[in-house]
Amino acid sequence: MKQRQIRRYHRLLKWGRTIQNQLVLLAPIVRWFTPLFTWLKKGFWLFTYINPCRYLKVLDWYIIRKFIGTYFFSITLIISISIVFDANENLAKFAQFHAPFKAIVFDYYANFIPYFANLFSPLFVFIAVIFFTSRLAGNSEIIAMLAAGVSFKRLMRPYMVSCLFISALSFYLSGYVIPHGTVVRQNFETMYKNKKRNSSAENVQLQVDKGVIACIQIYDNNAKRGYGFSLDKFENKKLVSHMTASEIQYDTISDSKFHWRVTNWRIREMRGMRENITYGDVKDTVIMMEPADMVYSKGQQETFTSPELRDYISKQIGRGSTNVVQYEVEYHKRIASSFASFILTTIGFSLSSRKRKGGMGLYLGIGLALSFGYIMLQTVSATFAINAGTTPLLAAWIPNFIFAIVAYFCYRTAPN
Protein backbone atom coordinates (compact mmCIF):
# COMPACT_ATOMS: atom_id res chain seq x y z
CA MET A 1 0.00 0.00 0.00
CA LYS A 2 1.09 3.51 -0.64
CA GLN A 3 1.97 5.74 2.26
CA ARG A 4 -1.00 8.02 1.47
CA GLN A 5 -3.42 5.08 1.55
CA ILE A 6 -1.97 3.91 4.85
CA ARG A 7 -2.47 7.35 6.42
CA ARG A 8 -6.05 7.45 5.14
CA TYR A 9 -6.71 3.98 6.52
CA HIS A 10 -5.34 4.92 9.96
CA ARG A 11 -7.36 8.14 9.95
CA LEU A 12 -10.60 6.26 9.20
CA LEU A 13 -9.77 3.69 11.85
CA LYS A 14 -9.20 6.45 14.40
CA TRP A 15 -12.54 8.10 13.55
CA GLY A 16 -14.31 4.77 13.79
CA ARG A 17 -12.91 4.09 17.26
CA THR A 18 -13.90 7.62 18.39
CA ILE A 19 -17.46 7.14 17.15
CA GLN A 20 -17.59 3.71 18.80
CA ASN A 21 -16.51 5.19 22.14
CA GLN A 22 -19.11 7.94 21.84
CA LEU A 23 -21.82 5.39 21.08
CA VAL A 24 -20.85 3.43 24.15
CA LEU A 25 -21.29 6.58 26.24
CA LEU A 26 -24.62 7.32 24.56
CA ALA A 27 -25.97 3.79 24.99
CA PRO A 28 -27.98 4.57 28.19
CA ILE A 29 -29.54 7.60 26.52
CA VAL A 30 -30.39 5.55 23.42
CA ARG A 31 -31.97 2.85 25.60
CA TRP A 32 -34.00 5.55 27.39
CA PHE A 33 -35.29 6.95 24.08
CA THR A 34 -36.06 3.53 22.58
CA PRO A 35 -39.67 3.40 23.97
CA LEU A 36 -40.23 6.92 22.64
CA PHE A 37 -39.07 5.89 19.18
CA THR A 38 -41.32 2.82 19.35
CA TRP A 39 -44.29 4.97 20.39
CA LEU A 40 -43.62 7.44 17.57
CA LYS A 41 -43.43 4.60 15.10
CA LYS A 42 -46.79 3.25 16.28
CA GLY A 43 -48.27 6.76 16.23
CA PHE A 44 -47.08 7.28 12.67
CA TRP A 45 -48.64 3.95 11.68
CA LEU A 46 -51.90 4.91 13.43
CA PHE A 47 -51.94 8.30 11.70
CA THR A 48 -51.38 6.59 8.36
CA TYR A 49 -54.26 4.23 9.11
CA ILE A 50 -56.77 6.90 10.21
CA ASN A 51 -55.65 9.50 7.68
CA PRO A 52 -58.86 10.47 5.82
CA CYS A 53 -56.98 11.07 2.58
CA ARG A 54 -56.16 7.35 2.59
CA TYR A 55 -59.82 6.60 1.89
CA LEU A 56 -60.25 9.23 -0.83
CA LYS A 57 -59.54 8.08 -4.35
CA VAL A 58 -59.29 9.97 -7.64
CA LEU A 59 -63.06 9.80 -8.13
CA ASP A 60 -63.65 11.22 -4.64
CA TRP A 61 -61.35 14.17 -5.22
CA TYR A 62 -63.07 14.81 -8.56
CA ILE A 63 -66.51 15.03 -6.89
CA ILE A 64 -65.16 17.10 -3.94
CA ARG A 65 -63.65 19.66 -6.31
CA LYS A 66 -66.92 19.87 -8.22
CA PHE A 67 -68.95 20.23 -5.02
CA ILE A 68 -66.80 22.87 -3.30
CA GLY A 69 -66.25 24.81 -6.53
CA THR A 70 -69.96 24.92 -7.36
CA TYR A 71 -70.79 25.87 -3.76
CA PHE A 72 -68.51 28.91 -3.73
CA PHE A 73 -69.53 29.84 -7.28
CA SER A 74 -73.22 29.91 -6.28
CA ILE A 75 -72.40 31.97 -3.19
CA THR A 76 -70.46 34.49 -5.26
CA LEU A 77 -73.20 34.72 -7.88
CA ILE A 78 -76.17 35.14 -5.53
CA ILE A 79 -74.40 37.45 -3.06
CA SER A 80 -73.25 39.66 -5.95
CA ILE A 81 -76.85 40.02 -7.06
CA SER A 82 -77.92 40.74 -3.47
CA ILE A 83 -75.29 43.47 -3.15
CA VAL A 84 -76.53 45.14 -6.34
CA PHE A 85 -80.14 45.17 -5.12
CA ASP A 86 -79.16 46.29 -1.61
CA ALA A 87 -76.97 49.12 -2.92
CA ASN A 88 -79.76 50.26 -5.24
CA GLU A 89 -82.21 50.30 -2.34
CA ASN A 90 -79.97 52.06 0.19
CA LEU A 91 -78.11 54.46 -2.09
CA ALA A 92 -80.48 57.32 -1.26
CA LYS A 93 -80.02 56.78 2.50
CA PHE A 94 -76.25 56.63 2.14
CA ALA A 95 -76.30 59.95 0.30
CA GLN A 96 -78.79 61.49 2.75
CA PHE A 97 -76.72 60.66 5.84
CA HIS A 98 -73.37 61.29 4.08
CA ALA A 99 -71.95 57.81 4.57
CA PRO A 100 -68.26 57.68 3.55
CA PHE A 101 -67.32 55.24 0.81
CA LYS A 102 -64.75 53.50 3.03
CA ALA A 103 -67.37 52.83 5.71
CA ILE A 104 -69.84 51.53 3.11
CA VAL A 105 -67.32 49.05 1.73
CA PHE A 106 -65.45 47.90 4.84
CA ASP A 107 -67.97 48.42 7.65
CA TYR A 108 -71.19 47.48 5.88
CA TYR A 109 -70.65 45.26 2.85
CA ALA A 110 -67.54 43.53 4.20
CA ASN A 111 -69.75 42.27 7.05
CA PHE A 112 -72.93 42.00 4.95
CA ILE A 113 -71.40 39.32 2.70
CA PRO A 114 -70.35 36.70 5.33
CA TYR A 115 -73.55 37.22 7.35
CA PHE A 116 -75.96 36.49 4.51
CA ALA A 117 -73.70 33.88 2.92
CA ASN A 118 -73.74 31.90 6.15
CA LEU A 119 -77.46 32.55 6.68
CA PHE A 120 -78.34 31.02 3.30
CA SER A 121 -75.61 28.38 3.39
CA PRO A 122 -78.16 25.50 3.30
CA LEU A 123 -79.66 27.03 0.15
CA PHE A 124 -76.23 27.27 -1.51
CA VAL A 125 -75.37 23.69 -0.54
CA PHE A 126 -78.61 22.40 -2.02
CA ILE A 127 -78.19 24.38 -5.24
CA ALA A 128 -74.59 23.22 -5.61
CA VAL A 129 -75.52 19.54 -5.15
CA ILE A 130 -78.48 19.77 -7.53
CA PHE A 131 -76.52 21.70 -10.15
CA PHE A 132 -73.38 19.63 -10.54
CA THR A 133 -74.97 16.23 -9.78
CA SER A 134 -77.58 16.84 -12.49
CA ARG A 135 -74.76 17.56 -14.90
CA LEU A 136 -73.00 14.35 -13.89
CA ALA A 137 -76.23 12.41 -14.39
CA GLY A 138 -76.91 14.17 -17.71
CA ASN A 139 -73.46 13.17 -18.99
CA SER A 140 -74.13 9.55 -17.86
CA GLU A 141 -71.23 9.75 -15.37
CA ILE A 142 -73.44 8.57 -12.49
CA ILE A 143 -74.60 5.61 -14.61
CA ALA A 144 -70.99 4.73 -15.43
CA MET A 145 -69.99 4.85 -11.76
CA LEU A 146 -72.88 2.62 -10.71
CA ALA A 147 -72.24 0.23 -13.63
CA ALA A 148 -68.58 -0.05 -12.59
CA GLY A 149 -69.66 -1.50 -9.25
CA VAL A 150 -69.59 1.68 -7.11
CA SER A 151 -72.55 1.53 -4.76
CA PHE A 152 -74.77 4.52 -4.09
CA LYS A 153 -73.64 4.50 -0.45
CA ARG A 154 -69.97 4.56 -1.51
CA LEU A 155 -70.72 7.33 -3.99
CA MET A 156 -71.99 9.52 -1.13
CA ARG A 157 -68.61 9.48 0.65
CA PRO A 158 -67.10 12.53 -1.16
CA TYR A 159 -70.39 14.39 -0.65
CA MET A 160 -70.25 13.80 3.11
CA VAL A 161 -66.58 14.83 3.24
CA SER A 162 -67.45 18.08 1.47
CA CYS A 163 -70.36 18.61 3.89
CA LEU A 164 -68.01 18.11 6.82
CA PHE A 165 -65.78 20.91 5.52
CA ILE A 166 -68.73 23.23 4.84
CA SER A 167 -70.36 22.51 8.22
CA ALA A 168 -67.14 23.17 10.14
CA LEU A 169 -66.60 26.41 8.22
CA SER A 170 -70.21 27.51 8.81
CA PHE A 171 -70.06 26.74 12.53
CA TYR A 172 -66.76 28.61 12.98
CA LEU A 173 -68.02 31.66 11.08
CA SER A 174 -71.37 31.84 12.88
CA GLY A 175 -69.90 31.24 16.32
CA TYR A 176 -66.66 33.21 16.32
CA VAL A 177 -66.25 35.52 13.29
CA ILE A 178 -69.61 36.88 12.13
CA PRO A 179 -70.76 38.22 15.57
CA HIS A 180 -67.90 40.75 15.62
CA GLY A 181 -68.78 41.90 12.12
CA THR A 182 -72.47 42.10 13.04
CA VAL A 183 -71.65 44.67 15.73
CA VAL A 184 -69.86 46.87 13.18
CA ARG A 185 -72.65 46.44 10.63
CA GLN A 186 -75.40 47.31 13.13
CA ASN A 187 -73.50 50.41 14.26
CA PHE A 188 -73.23 51.48 10.62
CA GLU A 189 -76.96 50.95 10.08
CA THR A 190 -77.77 52.96 13.19
CA MET A 191 -75.58 55.85 12.06
CA TYR A 192 -76.09 55.95 8.29
CA LYS A 193 -79.37 54.10 7.66
CA ASN A 194 -81.30 55.65 10.55
CA LYS A 195 -82.24 52.28 12.04
CA LYS A 196 -83.23 53.12 15.57
CA ARG A 197 -82.18 50.69 18.25
CA ASN A 198 -83.81 50.23 21.61
CA SER A 199 -81.81 52.35 24.06
CA SER A 200 -84.06 52.52 27.11
CA ALA A 201 -85.87 50.23 29.51
CA GLU A 202 -88.47 50.59 32.23
CA ASN A 203 -89.05 48.70 35.47
CA VAL A 204 -85.92 46.58 35.21
CA GLN A 205 -85.53 43.93 37.93
CA LEU A 206 -82.43 41.74 38.21
CA GLN A 207 -81.00 39.28 40.69
CA VAL A 208 -77.42 40.51 40.72
CA ASP A 209 -76.24 38.07 43.39
CA LYS A 210 -77.62 35.38 45.64
CA GLY A 211 -80.36 37.04 47.62
CA VAL A 212 -79.64 40.50 46.13
CA ILE A 213 -82.31 42.12 43.92
CA ALA A 214 -81.74 45.34 41.93
CA CYS A 215 -84.58 47.46 40.52
CA ILE A 216 -84.40 50.44 38.16
CA GLN A 217 -87.50 52.39 37.17
CA ILE A 218 -86.07 54.03 34.02
CA TYR A 219 -82.76 53.24 32.32
CA ASP A 220 -81.12 55.12 29.42
CA ASN A 221 -78.52 53.02 27.63
CA ASN A 222 -77.07 55.94 25.64
CA ALA A 223 -76.05 57.76 28.80
CA LYS A 224 -75.56 54.49 30.77
CA ARG A 225 -77.71 56.04 33.48
CA GLY A 226 -80.70 54.85 35.50
CA TYR A 227 -83.28 56.61 37.67
CA GLY A 228 -85.23 55.34 40.66
CA PHE A 229 -82.72 52.71 41.77
CA SER A 230 -83.17 50.29 44.67
CA LEU A 231 -81.11 47.35 45.93
CA ASP A 232 -82.59 44.81 48.35
CA LYS A 233 -80.60 42.14 50.18
CA PHE A 234 -82.29 39.09 51.70
CA GLU A 235 -81.03 36.50 54.16
CA ASN A 236 -83.20 33.48 54.96
CA LYS A 237 -86.06 35.16 53.08
CA LYS A 238 -85.84 38.22 55.33
CA LEU A 239 -84.96 41.73 54.20
CA VAL A 240 -81.74 42.82 55.92
CA SER A 241 -80.72 45.81 53.78
CA HIS A 242 -82.56 48.25 51.52
CA MET A 243 -80.66 50.80 49.42
CA THR A 244 -82.27 53.54 47.34
CA ALA A 245 -80.79 56.17 45.04
CA SER A 246 -82.30 58.77 42.79
CA GLU A 247 -79.73 58.13 40.06
CA ILE A 248 -77.19 55.45 39.14
CA GLN A 249 -74.39 55.90 36.57
CA TYR A 250 -72.18 53.19 35.05
CA ASP A 251 -68.43 53.91 35.14
CA THR A 252 -67.33 53.38 31.54
CA ILE A 253 -63.66 54.36 32.10
CA SER A 254 -63.00 51.95 34.94
CA ASP A 255 -60.37 49.24 34.47
CA SER A 256 -62.74 46.54 35.72
CA LYS A 257 -66.44 45.83 35.24
CA PHE A 258 -69.47 46.33 37.49
CA HIS A 259 -68.46 49.79 38.77
CA TRP A 260 -71.44 52.11 39.41
CA ARG A 261 -71.85 55.55 40.95
CA VAL A 262 -75.04 56.25 42.90
CA THR A 263 -76.36 59.74 43.69
CA ASN A 264 -78.52 60.78 46.67
CA TRP A 265 -78.28 57.32 48.15
CA ARG A 266 -79.78 55.98 51.34
CA ILE A 267 -79.23 52.61 53.04
CA ARG A 268 -81.47 51.06 55.66
CA GLU A 269 -80.01 48.10 57.54
CA MET A 270 -82.31 45.96 59.65
CA ARG A 271 -80.62 44.30 62.63
CA GLY A 272 -83.28 42.51 64.58
CA MET A 273 -85.56 45.12 66.14
CA ARG A 274 -83.12 47.93 65.34
CA GLU A 275 -82.67 49.87 62.14
CA ASN A 276 -79.58 51.73 61.00
CA ILE A 277 -79.90 54.44 58.31
CA THR A 278 -76.98 55.95 56.39
CA TYR A 279 -77.16 58.36 53.48
CA GLY A 280 -74.97 60.55 51.31
CA ASP A 281 -74.66 62.48 48.06
CA VAL A 282 -72.36 60.36 45.86
CA LYS A 283 -71.05 56.83 46.39
CA ASP A 284 -68.94 54.52 44.23
CA THR A 285 -69.98 50.90 44.55
CA VAL A 286 -69.64 47.51 42.86
CA ILE A 287 -72.88 45.89 41.69
CA MET A 288 -72.75 42.68 39.64
CA MET A 289 -74.66 43.98 36.61
CA GLU A 290 -73.83 45.65 33.30
CA PRO A 291 -75.71 47.90 30.86
CA ALA A 292 -76.11 44.98 28.43
CA ASP A 293 -78.13 43.14 31.08
CA MET A 294 -80.90 45.74 31.11
CA VAL A 295 -81.61 46.72 27.51
CA TYR A 296 -82.50 44.28 24.74
CA SER A 297 -82.44 45.41 21.13
CA LYS A 298 -83.57 43.43 18.10
CA GLY A 299 -80.82 41.12 16.86
CA GLN A 300 -78.67 41.60 19.96
CA GLN A 301 -78.16 37.84 20.32
CA GLU A 302 -76.40 37.81 16.95
CA THR A 303 -73.63 40.06 18.29
CA PHE A 304 -72.40 37.46 20.82
CA THR A 305 -69.90 34.76 20.00
CA SER A 306 -70.84 31.25 21.06
CA PRO A 307 -68.76 31.29 24.30
CA GLU A 308 -70.11 34.76 25.17
CA LEU A 309 -73.65 33.60 24.38
CA ARG A 310 -73.27 30.56 26.62
CA ASP A 311 -71.91 32.65 29.51
CA TYR A 312 -74.64 35.27 29.06
CA ILE A 313 -77.39 32.63 29.12
CA SER A 314 -76.07 31.00 32.29
CA LYS A 315 -75.66 34.39 33.96
CA GLN A 316 -79.18 35.53 33.06
CA ILE A 317 -80.71 32.25 34.21
CA GLY A 318 -78.88 32.59 37.51
CA ARG A 319 -80.38 36.06 37.88
CA GLY A 320 -83.88 34.77 37.31
CA SER A 321 -84.34 36.62 34.03
CA THR A 322 -86.99 35.29 31.63
CA ASN A 323 -85.70 37.21 28.61
CA VAL A 324 -83.21 34.54 27.53
CA VAL A 325 -85.30 32.42 25.14
CA GLN A 326 -84.10 34.18 21.99
CA TYR A 327 -80.49 33.80 23.17
CA GLU A 328 -80.96 30.07 23.77
CA VAL A 329 -82.61 29.66 20.36
CA GLU A 330 -79.70 31.45 18.69
CA TYR A 331 -77.15 29.28 20.52
CA HIS A 332 -78.81 25.99 19.56
CA LYS A 333 -79.63 27.19 16.03
CA ARG A 334 -75.94 27.73 15.28
CA ILE A 335 -75.23 24.09 16.05
CA ALA A 336 -78.34 22.74 14.31
CA SER A 337 -77.73 24.78 11.14
CA SER A 338 -74.29 23.25 10.77
CA PHE A 339 -75.83 19.79 10.39
CA ALA A 340 -78.30 20.97 7.77
CA SER A 341 -75.66 20.51 5.05
CA PHE A 342 -75.63 16.73 5.53
CA ILE A 343 -79.42 16.45 5.39
CA LEU A 344 -79.95 18.72 2.39
CA THR A 345 -77.04 17.13 0.52
CA THR A 346 -78.58 13.68 0.97
CA ILE A 347 -81.91 14.96 -0.39
CA GLY A 348 -80.33 16.82 -3.30
CA PHE A 349 -78.06 13.94 -4.32
CA SER A 350 -80.89 11.41 -4.11
CA LEU A 351 -83.16 13.55 -6.28
CA SER A 352 -80.69 14.62 -8.95
CA SER A 353 -78.67 11.40 -9.41
CA ARG A 354 -81.29 9.95 -11.77
CA LYS A 355 -80.99 10.89 -15.43
CA ARG A 356 -84.19 12.38 -16.85
CA LYS A 357 -85.17 14.14 -20.06
CA GLY A 358 -86.36 17.28 -18.31
CA GLY A 359 -82.83 18.37 -17.40
CA MET A 360 -81.93 20.13 -14.18
CA GLY A 361 -84.71 22.76 -14.21
CA LEU A 362 -87.10 20.56 -12.26
CA TYR A 363 -84.41 19.71 -9.71
CA LEU A 364 -83.44 23.34 -9.22
CA GLY A 365 -87.08 24.24 -8.60
CA ILE A 366 -87.47 21.45 -6.06
CA GLY A 367 -84.17 22.42 -4.44
CA LEU A 368 -85.16 26.07 -4.08
CA ALA A 369 -88.56 25.11 -2.66
CA LEU A 370 -87.06 22.74 -0.08
CA SER A 371 -84.29 25.17 0.89
CA PHE A 372 -86.67 28.07 1.41
CA GLY A 373 -88.97 25.71 3.27
CA TYR A 374 -86.12 24.81 5.61
CA ILE A 375 -85.26 28.47 6.26
CA MET A 376 -88.94 29.35 6.79
CA LEU A 377 -89.35 26.39 9.18
CA GLN A 378 -86.34 27.66 11.16
CA THR A 379 -88.01 31.05 11.60
CA VAL A 380 -91.38 29.53 12.52
CA SER A 381 -89.85 27.16 15.07
CA ALA A 382 -87.92 30.04 16.66
CA THR A 383 -91.19 31.95 16.96
CA PHE A 384 -92.75 28.93 18.68
CA ALA A 385 -89.94 28.96 21.25
CA ILE A 386 -90.22 32.71 21.92
CA ASN A 387 -94.00 33.09 21.96
CA ALA A 388 -95.47 29.61 22.49
CA GLY A 389 -93.18 28.25 25.18
CA THR A 390 -91.51 25.53 23.10
CA THR A 391 -88.15 24.29 24.41
CA PRO A 392 -85.37 26.24 22.60
CA LEU A 393 -83.35 23.07 21.96
CA LEU A 394 -86.35 21.34 20.37
CA ALA A 395 -87.31 24.46 18.40
CA ALA A 396 -83.82 24.72 16.91
CA TRP A 397 -83.73 21.05 15.86
CA ILE A 398 -87.32 20.68 14.56
CA PRO A 399 -86.33 21.58 10.94
CA ASN A 400 -83.51 19.02 11.02
CA PHE A 401 -85.81 16.28 12.37
CA ILE A 402 -88.45 16.90 9.71
CA PHE A 403 -86.01 17.13 6.82
CA ALA A 404 -84.06 14.11 8.09
CA ILE A 405 -87.20 12.03 7.57
CA VAL A 406 -87.53 13.44 4.04
CA ALA A 407 -83.85 12.66 3.40
CA TYR A 408 -84.33 9.06 4.55
CA PHE A 409 -87.20 8.41 2.13
CA CYS A 410 -85.30 10.11 -0.71
CA TYR A 411 -82.26 7.95 0.03
CA ARG A 412 -84.34 4.77 0.04
CA THR A 413 -85.83 5.58 -3.38
CA ALA A 414 -82.53 6.67 -4.98
CA PRO A 415 -81.17 4.60 -7.92
CA ASN A 416 -78.62 1.93 -6.95
Side-chain angles (χ1 to χ4, degrees):
M1 297 177 65
K2 295 181 180 180
Q3 188 68 24
R4 184 178 59 185
Q5 293 176 340
I6 295 175
R7 288 198 301 269
R8 183 182 301 173
Y9 171 78
H10 281 287
R11 192 181 303 114
L12 293 175
L13 183 63
K14 183 178 179 181
W15 287 353
R17 289 176 179 174
T18 303
I19 294 174
Q20 183 180 7
N21 294 334
Q22 295 296 329
L23 291 177
V24 171
L25 295 176
L26 294 176
I29 301 177
V30 173
R31 286 197 299 270
W32 187 81
F33 276 102
T34 300
L36 178 61
F37 293 148
T38 305
W39 182 83
L40 290 175
K41 183 178 179 180
K42 292 182 179 179
F44 179 76
W45 175 83
L46 180 63
F47 175 76
T48 305
Y49 182 76
I50 65 175
N51 185 13
C53 296
R54 179 172 178 262
Y55 301 95
L56 298 178
K57 308 304 180 183
V58 176
L59 179 62
D60 299 322
W61 288 114
Y62 172 73
I63 294 177
I64 289 174
R65 287 196 300 269
K66 290 283 187 179
F67 192 165
I68 301 299
T70 309
Y71 172 75
F72 284 107
F73 174 77
S74 61
I75 287 179
T76 304
L77 181 63
I78 298 178
I79 291 298
S80 301
I81 297 174
S82 302
I83 291 175
V84 171
F85 280 99
D86 185 82
N88 185 43
E89 181 182 355
N90 296 315
L91 191 60
K93 291 184 178 180
F94 293 158
Q96 178 183 357
F97 294 100
H98 306 286
F101 180 77
K102 182 179 180 181
I104 295 174
V105 174
F106 294 101
D107 292 347
Y108 183 66
Y109 284 112
N111 298 302
F112 172 92
I113 293 173
Y115 175 79
F116 283 96
N118 189 72
L119 179 64
F120 295 104
S121 179
L123 172 64
F124 299 140
V125 169
F126 210 108
I127 290 177
V129 173
I130 293 287
F131 186 77
F132 88 88
T133 306
S134 298
R135 293 191 61 184
L136 293 179
N139 296 332
S140 300
E141 296 181 62
I142 299 292
I143 297 176
M145 295 174 193
L146 297 176
V150 180
S151 64
F152 189 80
K153 181 179 178 180
R154 171 62 181 84
L155 200 57
M156 286 190 65
R157 180 186 296 177
Y159 286 85
M160 295 297 105
V161 173
S162 303
C163 288
L164 181 63
F165 168 75
I166 294 173
S167 299
L169 179 63
S170 176
F171 177 76
Y172 177 74
L173 290 176
S174 63
Y176 298 93
V177 177
I178 293 179
H180 298 294
T182 303
V183 176
V184 178
R185 181 174 57 84
Q186 288 183 355
N187 293 334
F188 177 89
E189 291 176 347
T190 303
M191 185 176 301
Y192 298 112
K193 292 181 65 176
N194 198 24
K195 279 195 173 183
K196 296 183 179 179
R197 302 172 63 181
N198 187 21
S199 60
S200 63
E202 296 181 357
N203 299 323
V204 179
Q205 185 173 353
L206 297 173
Q207 181 177 343
V208 297
D209 202 354
K210 185 178 180 180
V212 181
I213 308 296
C215 300
I216 302 177
Q217 294 181 0
I218 300 175
Y219 179 76
D220 183 9
N221 192 47
N222 293 329
K224 302 294 187 293
R225 182 177 301 169
Y227 304 93
F229 174 74
S230 65
L231 188 69
D232 297 329
K233 184 177 181 181
F234 296 87
E235 291 182 1
N236 298 325
K237 299 182 180 180
K238 293 183 179 181
L239 182 64
V240 296
S241 176
H242 176 69
M243 176 183 180
T244 59
S246 61
E247 184 180 308
I248 182 171
Q249 175 72 47
Y250 185 69
D251 190 357
T252 57
I253 62 175
S254 177
D255 296 334
S256 57
K257 299 187 295 184
F258 312 124
H259 280 259
W260 296 84
R261 174 173 294 181
V262 293
T263 306
N264 296 328
W265 57 274
R266 182 180 181 182
I267 300 177
R268 296 173 57 193
E269 296 181 353
M270 277 66 78
R271 300 175 181 175
M273 299 300 294
R274 296 184 179 181
E275 181 177 323
N276 184 22
I277 300 177
T278 55
Y279 55 89
D281 295 332
V282 179
K283 180 182 180 66
D284 292 329
T285 183
V286 175
I287 304 174
M288 303 298 290
M289 62 181 186
E290 295 181 277
D293 301 332
M294 287 170 277
V295 177
Y296 170 75
S297 58
K298 185 178 180 181
Q300 183 178 349
Q301 67 273 13
E302 298 176 354
T303 62
F304 290 96
T305 62
S306 292
E308 293 173 350
L309 201 58
R310 184 173 57 250
D311 295 340
Y312 182 83
I313 291 171
S314 61
K315 183 174 66 173
Q316 292 298 100
I317 292 176
R319 290 176 173 176
S321 176
T322 58
N323 191 25
V324 294
V325 178
Q326 55 266 34
Y327 296 91
E328 293 178 318
V329 171
E330 176 67 20
Y331 179 77
H332 294 297
K333 189 174 71 173
R334 291 178 182 178
I335 302 175
S337 298
S338 302
F339 288 90
S341 300
F342 296 95
I343 299 173
L344 296 178
T345 297
T346 304
I347 298 175
F349 181 52
S350 302
L351 291 177
S352 59
S353 58
R354 190 186 302 271
K355 183 177 180 180
R356 294 182 180 179
K357 295 181 179 179
M360 68 179 68
L362 177 63
Y363 301 126
L364 285 177
I366 296 175
L368 289 173
L370 289 175
S371 301
F372 282 117
Y374 178 84
I375 295 172
M376 184 185 69
L377 191 58
Q378 272 188 331
T379 306
V380 172
S381 61
T383 305
F384 285 160
I386 296 173
N387 298 325
T390 308
T391 306
L393 178 62
L394 179 61
W397 283 89
I398 281 177
N400 286 358
F401 291 151
I402 295 177
F403 276 79
I405 298 174
V406 177
Y408 174 76
F409 284 105
C410 291
Y411 175 76
R412 295 294 296 176
T413 58
N416 290 293

